[in-house]
Amino acid sequence: MKRRFPAAAIAAAALTLVATSCSLEPATGDGDAVTVVIGYQSKTINTVTAGTLLRAQGYLEQRLQAVTEQTGTKYSVEWQDYDTGAPITAQMVAEKIDIGSMGDYPMLINGSRTQANPRAKTQIVSVTGYNPKGALNMVVVPPNSPATTLADLAGRKVSASVGSAGHGTLVQALDRAGIDPGTGVEVLNQQPQVGSSALESGQVAALSQFVAWPGLLVFQDKAKLLYDGAELNTPTLHGVVVRDVYADEHPEVLDAFLRAQLDATQFIRTQPLEASRIVADASGLPQEVVYLYNGPGGTSFDTTLKPGLIDALKNDVPYLKSIGDFADLDVGGFVNDAPLRSAFEADGQNYDTALASTANPAAVTGTDPVCAAPADDPALAGEVWIDGAAATQPAANPTCLLRAVKQARAGGRTVRSAYVPDAELGTRWFADKSVWVRDGDTFLPFTTGAAADRYLRTHPTGAVITYDRAVEEVRQ
């Protein structure tokens, strides 16, 4: 990579937004109350268990109230909502935020930026959620774009938030495609909303962002998916960082936060549809988009700091150094699982058992009522959400899902949304936004045209068809 983004570019990204802060409960007015300031991203729905959902359910306040009842110490929680991790880091450097949640690249930048100041220095203490292949970050293009692969973006303008997880995926993907990330495309450093507007107005050829922006734009028919981050086959994650000094001074607050995160994690696993409604109400995102990522088979909501995820962070460092001034960081020393282990133990859970598990804790389950078959294969099982239904309907495989949609339409019912795993990469995606291939009586969904083309090159009997045609042609 020949060109590096100047340090000022990443620094500017960290200062673009001004926080809007508020407390979930009225201020106590007690000067002796211990205050904890939390930076989160309401629309980055992979962090909801340490942000949007956690806040909406009041889990942290409940945990701190229990501490108050035991010790008499009062606590005040202040929530600050941002669009990306960069401004959270800027506030942590300024010692104004105590606990923050953000993506993998921003967490590493956070560790790099804060380590020079002992009072600002941070540590990673938990994961909010992850995808083992990298599907949380994607590149989208306008619906009428002729681009079919990343190579088609050479020499074009691409919007990304420099230093974000979405930018990291773009850099690695371009590198693998043989395109110099520094000179092969022109990256415009933009916040997600600005980049979305730039994409819609034609000012940029593509946008590379983190959840939930790619899914939102595709859902709104403002974009189509060009590149699925799962093609990198590299874990992407979001997590929680805390200032070391604050953790040392108020370990009971960090413990309450981590135990509250466990509460939120359990809730999203057991009541995903209700959790998606709560997050949608709090974030302003469509519930269908929230459920794409927060529903079964989507994000792996697992708090443990798995070795594979830590290795992925270590492997990200060379790419971070290529896009800006990144101070050397001991990633192993930056990660501290001791507080989380204590939280697990206090809640009667086994940390090592959870640490060893690599399966998505929330998979599609149940019996497919249309095909009368169990929906228990994560590589095939999907869901159909009938408008007005209290629960989603499991589908054993993509062909059964099409049958369910056909049956619903024939009965005059409206399908609010349907979700299906990509046949090649396993990424959970909207069924009606997928690229469908019919191969005999088998119907296969793909997140991108490029993925469908890869299948067709080795399966000449297949053919691409539209979603509606697939629904029409599937046999009942």
Side-chain angles (χ1 to χ4, degrees), residues 294-316:
N294 287 183
T299 299
S300 290
F301 285 102
D302 183 333
T303 60
T304 60
L305 292 154
K306 301 184 186 301
L309 299 181
I310 307 310
D311 287 342
L313 289 175
K314 293 176 181 178
N315 292 334
D316 286 340

Side-chain angles (χ1 to χ4, degrees), residues 446-460:
F446 297 90
T447 54
T448 65
D453 288 343
R454 286 193 291 270
Y455 176 85
L456 293 173
R457 283 198 292 268
T458 57
H459 298 80

Side-chain angles (χ1 to χ4, degrees), residues 180-196:
D180 188 315
T183 61
V185 299
E186 181 181 351
V187 175
L188 300 188
N189 182 18
Q190 298 175 325
Q191 293 298 317
Q193 298 98 321
V194 176
S196 298

Side-chain angles (χ1 to χ4, degrees), residues 1-3 5 139 147-158 167-187 206 226-227 232 319 322-323:
M1 303 175 191
K2 300 177 181 177
R3 183 168 67 88
F5 282 93
V139 180
T148 59
T149 68
L150 284 177
D152 296 322
L153 300 180
R156 309 292 300 279
K157 294 180 180 178
V158 179
H167 183 221
T169 289
L170 177 66
V171 170
Q172 292 194 47
L174 289 173
D175 186 42
R176 289 197 187 184
I179 301 173
D180 188 315
T183 61
V185 299
E186 181 181 351
V187 175
L226 177 72
Y227 184 83
L232 289 175
Y319 290 97
S322 76
I323 64 175

